[in-house]
């Protein structure tokens, strides 16, 4: 009986212990539920702990529903969060609102938790100023404003594209706004994160590498003279950099070229416009009148000696009698040109010791010293029918026409007179690559004392310091050639770094498109336009036949290069403005080529590759080229 009693007491005690344990668990859960309190309309969950024999829930998805603390209205849709019961998670951010607390505890069971948010009406503004580092002005090139950035709003802004002349964007925060975080360490823009609770403005200054300041030159023009070119107005910026004429715009619409006066001409470059003054003056003397004339050469019996010619010259000029070997001039040696269509006859006497054969002599008929006349052989000139010379001034038929353009293919000098000496040499023009060869307009012909033909020329290298100079150069085809092709070629390749334009008309008006450097074009014909030529493409469009811009045939172009060692990239073709470093064994796409010192007639140009972002060397010591 004692044994049974003891067993009964132990059994009762175990039952009582289980009952007490159950009560403690129930009490614990109740305390957890009661600990869920609401503060300011927000559900706060306090973890009062779990008994050791209760398993904690696995990771689950919960939803937090933002609620406006002022209106009790829900703000948008519930926001999902992932976590475990009892875990403190970051309270989600809502644009325009601030959560009443930064952390939210997740309840025992997954569900929706309502969290109170306070509306923040403040807005932030970011002003971005763009400054050109190459200009002395403190005024920004342009300014843009990003407005109404709400509280808790994030985003990114790309820098404004100022054009291909602007590179190397670098930003810094000039004026900060408390609570607004700005990341300006990016190459293409900046990002923002606004947690400012007050209205305000932050300022970002962006520096860019753009065109330098420039000042156009004033022009003095005499009526009847050559009109000014772009290079006459502006050739270099204030830092000494050569300005590409293509990038300059000039408005001469207000200038009356035939009326004496002073006119303002807007000159625009790099987004800025300055005024140049054009002063139109009266001509120094009346414009000369051109008269046509015909020269006859006869003997005392009236027989034609076959040395006549036709020509044209300025009124009042003196026409000299041609010299005929074996004959003596018996009439006046010089006749003044006084009317259009004037007939001039020179009479000769046969020397007694010379056989009669005047047609085979090769004198210098038609030479007009300082007369300014230009002539062509007449049909009666029997000695010029072989086509090798022009009897008026003994100029070879293959010489460039007066008014035509030639360029130097080898080193040449410009001289003050037809007799080339060191004393009268004005300067040298070094041998240049094809696209940079110096050009001259032929304005006349002269011969040296030993009879060598010279071209009287004017320098038309508009971007060069020598532009406009006049003098004499060699006429040898080993040194100078016509700039324009004279014959058709089936295919041509564009070699100009800026490409060539195609037009609907032979006078190069009605632009159709631009063909990039390296483009191969098929040609169906060639036409003359004044003293130039144009190629007619198979589609009927016209392009220039200038040898500096196109090359006959098909020419391969470098497509890519691989660096043999570390090199630098530059923003200019002279490789003086470094903008990037390139490591060894890097492969770069090549978009074209160009040469340095194109506008300096004293320096030979060096080949450069044009790549993304600028220019690199083409020296095979540093890069390997692939076509």
């Amino acid at each position: 009986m004692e044994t049974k009693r003891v067993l009964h007491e132990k059994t009762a005690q175990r039952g009582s212990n289980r009952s007490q344990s159950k009560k403690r668990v129930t009490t614990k859960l109740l305390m957890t539920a009661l600990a869920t309190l609401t503060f300011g309309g927000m559900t706060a969950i306090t973890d009062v702990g779990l008994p050791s024999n209760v398993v904690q829930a696995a990771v689950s998805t919960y939803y937090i529903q933002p609620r406006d603390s002022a209106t009790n209205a829900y703000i948008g849709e519930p926001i999902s969060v992932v976590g475990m019961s009892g875990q403190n998670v970051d309270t989600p951010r809502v644009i325009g609102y601030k959560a009443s607390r930064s952390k939210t505890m997740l309840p025992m069971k997954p569900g929706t938790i309502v969290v109170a948010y306070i509306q923040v009406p403040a807005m932030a503004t970011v002003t971005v100023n763009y400054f050109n580092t190459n200009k002395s002005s403190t005024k920004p090139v342009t300014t843009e404003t990003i407005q109404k950035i709400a509280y808790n709003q994030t985003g990114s802004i790309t820098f404004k594209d100022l054009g291909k002349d602007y590179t190397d964007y670098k930003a810094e925060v000039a004026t900060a706004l408390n609570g607004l975080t700005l990341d300006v360490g990016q190459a293409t823009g900046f990002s923002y994160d606004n947690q400012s609770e007050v209205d305000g403005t932050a300022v970002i200054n962006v520096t860019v590498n753009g065109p330098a300041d420039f000042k156009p030159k004033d022009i003095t023009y005499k009526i009847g003279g050559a009109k000014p070119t772009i290079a006459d107005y502006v050739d270099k910026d204030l830092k000494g950099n050569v300005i590409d004429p293509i990038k300059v715009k000039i408005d001469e619409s207000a200038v009356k070229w035939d009326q004496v006066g002073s006119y303002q001409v807007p000159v625009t470059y790099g987004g800025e416009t300055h005024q140049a003054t054009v002063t139109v003056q009266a001509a120094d003397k009346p414009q000369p009148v051109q008269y046509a004339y015909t020269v006859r050469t006869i003997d005392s019996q009236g027989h034609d000696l076959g040395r006549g010619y036709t020509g044209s010259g300025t009124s009042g000029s003196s026409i000299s009698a041609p010299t005929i070997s074996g004959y003596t001039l018996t009439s006046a040696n010089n006749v003044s040109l006084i009317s259009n269509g004037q007939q001039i006859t020179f009479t000769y006497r046969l020397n007694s010791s010379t056989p009669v054969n005047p047609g085979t002599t090769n004198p210098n008929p038609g030479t007009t010293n300082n007369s300014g006349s230009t002539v062509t052989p007449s049909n009666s000139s029997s000695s010029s029918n072989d086509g090798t010379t022009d009897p008026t001034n003994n100029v070879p038929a293959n010489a460039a026409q007066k008014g035509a353009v030639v360029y130097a293919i080898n080193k040449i000098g410009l001289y003050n007179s037809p007799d080339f000496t060191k004393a009268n040499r004005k300067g040298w023009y070094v041998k240049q690559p094809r696209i940079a060869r110096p050009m001259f307009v032929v304005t006349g012909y002269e011969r040296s004392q030993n009879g060598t033909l010279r071209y009287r020329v004017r320098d038309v290298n508009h971007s060069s310091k020598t532009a406009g100079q006049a003098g004499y150069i060699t006429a040898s085809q080993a040194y100078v050639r016509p700039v324009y092709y004279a014959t058709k070629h089936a295919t041509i390749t564009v070699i100009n770094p800026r490409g060539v334009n195609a037009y609907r008309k032979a006078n190069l008006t009605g632009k159709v498109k631009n063909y990039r450097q390296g483009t191969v074009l098929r040609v169906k014909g060639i036409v003359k336009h004044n003293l130039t030529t144009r190629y007619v493409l198979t589609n009927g469009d016209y392009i220039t036949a200038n040898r500096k811009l196109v090359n006959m045939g098909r020419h391969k172009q470098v497509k890519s290069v691989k660096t043999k060692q570390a090199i630098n990239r530059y923003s200019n073709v002279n490789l003086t403005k470094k903008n990037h470093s390139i490591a060894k064994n890097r492969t770069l796409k090549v978009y074209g080529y160009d040469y340095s010192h194109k506008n300096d007639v004293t320096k030979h140009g060096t080949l450069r590759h044009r790549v993304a972002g600028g220019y690199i060397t083409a020296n095979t010591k540093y890069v390997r080229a692939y076509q």
Side-chain angles (χ1 to χ4, degrees):
M1 291 297 289
E2 183 64 26
T3 300
K4 290 182 179 179
R5 185 182 66 78
V6 171
L7 291 173
H8 177 75
E9 289 177 355
K10 290 183 176 180
T11 300
Q13 185 178 1
R14 284 195 297 269
S16 176
N17 290 340
R18 284 195 298 270
S19 177
Q20 291 297 325
S21 176
K22 184 174 182 181
K23 288 179 180 180
R24 285 197 297 271
V25 171
T26 303
T27 302
K28 192 77 170 182
L29 292 174
L30 180 60
M31 291 175 66
T32 300
L34 291 175
T36 303
L37 303 177
T38 302
F39 298 96
M42 170 180 163
T43 301
I45 301 175
T46 304
D47 186 3
V48 295
L50 293 174
S52 60
N53 60 345
V54 176
V55 179
Q56 192 172 8
V59 174
S60 301
T61 300
Y62 296 79
Y63 294 90
I64 295 178
Q65 173 63 66
R67 185 180 66 188
D68 191 316
S69 62
T71 64
N72 285 328
Y74 288 155
I75 306 169
E77 298 295 326
I79 303 168
S80 63
V81 296
V82 177
M84 298 183 296
S85 63
Q87 179 183 352
N88 279 317
V89 297
D90 291 333
T91 304
R93 294 171 59 174
V94 177
I95 294 178
Y97 287 84
K98 180 180 180 180
S100 57
R101 63 186 304 170
S102 61
K103 296 287 185 179
T104 298
M105 179 177 287
L106 302 180
M108 292 294 296
K109 293 183 180 181
T112 300
I113 308 166
V114 177
V115 179
Y117 284 75
I118 303 169
Q119 186 176 19
V120 180
M123 293 287 179
T125 299
V126 178
T127 299
V128 185
N129 297 317
Y130 295 86
F131 294 94
N132 184 353
T133 57
N134 287 325
K135 290 188 180 296
S136 57
S137 173
T138 57
K139 180 181 178 182
V141 176
T142 186
T143 297
E144 62 177 338
T145 302
I146 298 89
Q147 296 178 323
K148 297 183 178 180
I149 302 175
Y151 181 83
N152 269 340
Q153 184 175 349
T154 62
S156 60
I157 300 294
T158 301
F159 290 138
K160 187 174 183 180
D161 184 4
L162 301 181
K164 62 182 180 179
D165 294 329
Y166 294 84
T167 58
D168 298 334
Y169 289 67
K170 296 179 181 178
E172 64 177 5
V173 178
T175 303
L177 175 63
N178 188 29
L180 175 63
T181 302
L182 296 170
D183 179 6
V184 296
Q186 308 168 44
T188 58
F190 66 92
S191 59
Y192 60 84
D193 182 354
N194 183 27
Q195 294 191 53
S196 175
E197 298 182 38
V198 296
D199 291 327
T201 300
V203 178
I204 296 176
N205 288 342
V206 181
T207 58
V208 293
N209 184 21
D213 286 327
F214 79 101
K215 182 179 180 181
K217 293 177 285 188
D218 293 334
I219 302 295
T220 299
Y221 169 79
K222 293 188 177 182
I223 295 175
K227 299 286 180 64
T229 64
I230 291 177
D232 293 327
Y233 285 98
V234 57
D235 54 357
K236 293 182 180 180
D237 60 32
L238 297 184
K239 288 192 173 183
N241 302 312
V242 176
I243 292 178
D244 187 348
I246 294 178
K247 299 179 180 179
V248 180
K249 292 183 179 180
I250 295 177
D251 182 4
E252 298 176 323
S253 58
V255 180
K256 297 179 180 179
W257 299 104
D258 58 350
Q259 184 174 325
V260 173
S262 182
Y263 307 91
Q264 294 298 305
V265 173
V267 181
T268 303
Y269 169 69
E272 291 193 1
T273 300
H274 296 289
Q275 299 292 325
T277 300
V278 174
T279 302
V280 178
Q281 299 177 345
D284 291 336
K285 57 182 180 180
Q287 295 299 301
V289 179
Q290 290 289 316
Y291 288 152
Y293 63 89
T294 301
V295 170
R296 293 185 63 218
T297 56
I298 61 174
D299 63 13
S300 56
Q301 304 300 316
H303 299 131
D304 190 350
L305 298 180
R307 303 303 294 168
Y309 60 90
T310 61
S312 64
T314 57
S315 58
S317 60
S318 179
I319 308 303
S320 301
T323 300
I324 302 178
S325 180
Y327 283 81
T328 299
L329 180 69
T330 58
S331 61
N333 185 49
N334 297 288
V335 176
S336 294
L337 190 57
I338 58 175
S339 63
N340 190 37
Q342 184 173 345
Q343 299 287 327
I344 302 173
T345 301
F346 295 106
T347 304
Y348 300 80
R349 180 184 70 249
L350 176 65
N351 298 333
S352 59
S353 60
T354 303
V356 179
N357 192 11
T360 60
T361 60
N362 189 18
N364 188 21
T367 299
T368 57
N369 296 327
N370 301 320
S371 68
S373 63
T374 57
V375 295
T376 55
S378 68
N379 292 334
S380 63
S381 178
S382 60
S383 65
S384 61
N385 290 337
D386 60 0
T388 59
T389 62
D390 177 346
T392 63
N393 48 22
N394 208 18
V395 175
N398 61 357
Q401 288 182 266
K402 184 177 179 181
V405 183
V406 297
Y407 66 2
I409 61 175
N410 283 302
K411 179 180 179 181
I412 66 169
L414 180 68
Y415 297 85
N416 286 314
S417 74
D419 296 308
F420 292 175
T421 64
K422 182 178 180 180
N424 67 29
R425 185 171 60 238
K426 303 178 75 170
W428 287 112
Y429 292 78
V430 301
K431 182 178 180 180
Q432 290 280 25
R434 183 187 184 105
I435 64 174
R437 290 172 179 170
M439 299 188 299
F440 308 87
V441 171
V442 177
T443 60
Y445 314 95
E446 293 287 346
R447 288 189 177 272
S448 64
Q449 291 184 358
N450 62 7
T452 304
L453 180 65
R454 312 296 194 195
Y455 287 144
R456 186 169 65 250
V457 298
R458 183 178 71 255
D459 183 316
V460 289
N461 302 289
H462 301 304
S463 298
S464 168
K465 294 180 180 179
T466 60
Q469 290 189 9
Y472 296 86
I473 64 171
T474 178
S476 170
Q477 288 202 341
Y479 292 89
V480 293
R481 298 282 177 83
V483 168
Y484 288 88
Y485 281 111
T487 57
K488 169 186 170 294
H489 299 280
T491 57
I492 56 173
T493 302
V494 177
I495 62 174
N496 184 34
R498 289 178 292 278
V500 297
N501 294 330
Y503 300 87
R504 298 193 185 282
K505 297 181 180 180
N507 63 355
L508 302 188
T509 59
K511 178 181 174 181
V512 179
K513 66 176 297 184
N514 176 271
Y515 290 104
R516 293 184 297 179
Q517 185 185 52
T519 305
V520 177
L521 302 171
R522 298 186 63 82
V523 177
K524 72 175 182 180
I526 188 170
V527 297
K528 288 185 177 181
H529 180 75
N530 298 329
L531 292 176
T532 66
T533 54
R534 319 291 193 209
Y535 278 126
V536 186
L537 304 182
T538 52
N539 62 2
D541 294 338
Y542 296 86
I543 67 168
T544 180
N546 189 319
R547 298 174 193 257
K548 292 182 63 174
L549 307 181
V550 296
N551 195 0
M552 65 177 182
R554 183 186 299 269
H555 299 273
K556 291 184 177 180
Q557 189 167 320
V558 173
K559 300 297 183 184
S560 64
V561 296
K562 186 174 183 180
T563 57
K564 296 182 178 180
Q565 55 183 282
I567 63 172
N568 293 324
R569 187 187 69 194
Y570 300 83
S571 61
N572 63 330
V573 74
N574 287 340
L575 305 190
T576 59
K577 297 181 179 180
K578 175 183 173 182
N579 62 15
H580 189 61
S581 296
I582 302 172
K584 180 181 179 181
N585 292 327
R586 285 287 306 277
T587 299
L588 304 172
K589 182 177 180 181
V590 175
Y591 294 94
Y593 63 91
D594 206 340
Y595 289 87
S596 64
H597 306 299
K598 287 195 300 184
N599 299 317
D600 190 339
V601 299
T602 64
K603 294 181 180 179
H604 181 77
T606 303
L607 178 65
R608 315 294 194 201
H609 291 310
R610 182 166 59 86
V611 298
Y615 298 87
I616 62 171
T617 179
N619 192 326
T620 55
K621 178 181 177 182
Y622 301 102
V623 296
R624 179 179 291 106
Y626 300 93
Q627 291 185 333

